[in-house]
Amino acid sequence: TQLLEQSPQFLSIQEGENLTVYCNSSSVFSSLQWYRQEPGEGPVLLVTVVTGGEVKKLKRLTFQFGDARKDSSLHITAAQPGDTGLYLCAGVSSGSARQLTFGSGTQLTVLP
Amino acid sequence: NAGVTQTPKFQVLKTGQSMTLQCAQDMNHEYMSWYRQDPGMGLRLIHYSVGAGITDQGEVPNGYNVSRSTTEDFPLRLLSAAPSQTSVYFCASSLSGAGYGYTFGSGTRLTVV
């Protein structure tokens, strides 16, 4: 069973601060996805990173996939209250099934 | 374009009852999956399908059955509900190519008493 450890579990910061969320595994994934989930809703895809060492930017969000494809990070610059939510990383298995293994999530609260 | 539609949104069952959670998608996605989400545990895969007529077990399949007779529909059946199955259930679908993300439904909150 592939496991993903996500940290921190909870993060409360002031508006304008920067933050980084980490996602680590001992397993290699074919790709890694980041989702954001609002209360009462399903997760919504933010990004997919496929290549080891890949860096993707989505406005103030920067996603990085580790060189060995075992870990990833999400960095948010100048956080805003609208960034509040549950952030989930998910490793994609290799092979035809392409199933997701989720981390336990990071609950981010950005205070105004 | 409705995306992934799950029904019902809320359900209360008594221990031992059976029920079916419905999931439908209108995006012609080959892959469909069912997850359960419990506090502090992220989402865990119950069953998945890579196409019509093909299903397989995920991490926590016990107590659940699935079938995939059409591309669009992927119902999840609880055979005999137990309090341990109290959870939020999500259905998701995806295209088969590498790099595609999953589209999730809005979930079914199930309570077994």
Side-chain angles (χ1 to χ4, degrees):
Chain A
T1 302
Q2 295 177 308
L3 297 174
L4 267 177
E5 293 186 2
Q6 192 171 338
S7 62
Q9 187 174 1
F10 298 98
L11 192 54
S12 181
I13 61 172
Q14 294 294 134
E15 181 176 2
E17 293 183 350
N18 302 332
L19 67 113
T20 302
V21 177
Y22 299 93
C23 191
N24 296 290
S25 176
S26 58
S27 303
V28 176
F29 293 101
S30 65
S31 61
L32 198 133
Q33 300 177 349
W34 285 91
Y35 292 81
R36 177 180 161 185
Q37 185 177 19
E38 302 288 344
E41 298 295 328
V44 175
L45 179 70
L46 294 174
V47 76
T48 298
V49 283
V50 179
T51 305
E54 183 177 3
V55 177
K56 279 191 175 179
K57 293 190 175 183
L58 187 67
K59 298 184 180 178
R60 294 177 292 100
L61 278 61
T62 301
F63 304 86
Q64 185 163 5
F65 199 16
D67 291 341
R69 307 210 319 274
K70 294 181 178 181
D71 56 270
S72 181
S73 63
L74 158 60
H75 183 78
I76 300 179
T77 304
Q80 299 176 359
D83 295 327
T84 294
L86 179 66
Y87 290 82
L88 296 157
C89 63
V92 182
S93 63
S94 57
S96 61
R98 281 189 64 244
Q99 292 311 302
L100 302 180
T101 299
F102 279 88
S104 56
T106 295
Q107 181 62 54
L108 172 65
T109 302
V110 182
L111 304 170
Chain B
N1 195 348
V4 178
T5 303
Q6 289 185 239
T7 56
K9 285 194 69 67
F10 301 94
Q11 183 71 49
V12 178
L13 287 179
K14 292 183 179 180
T15 298
Q17 286 185 320
S18 62
M19 78 160 295
T20 299
L21 279 63
Q22 301 293 344
C23 176
Q25 54 93 6
D26 61 358
M27 299 170 286
N28 204 31
H29 286 175
E30 298 96 327
Y31 287 8
M32 295 187 76
S33 305
W34 277 101
Y35 295 86
R36 60 178 289 174
Q37 186 173 31
D38 301 294
M41 300 187 71
L43 285 88
R44 292 181 292 168
L45 181 64
I46 305 171
H47 285 286
Y48 66 95
S49 169
V50 298
I54 305 169
T55 63
D56 207 343
Q57 296 180 353
E59 180 185 356
V60 288
N62 293 339
Y64 309 94
N65 273 357
V66 292
S67 60
R68 183 100 179 268
S69 56
T70 66
T71 299
E72 294 79 17
D73 299 299
F74 192 43
L76 177 72
R77 283 182 288 276
L78 279 70
L79 309 174
S80 176
S84 60
Q85 293 179 303
T86 294
S87 187
V88 182
Y89 292 85
F90 289 99
C91 178
S93 71
S94 173
L95 291 169
S96 61
Y100 287 107
Y102 276 79
T103 300
F104 282 79
S106 58
T108 295
R109 183 175 293 275
L110 175 68
T111 302
V112 182
V113 297

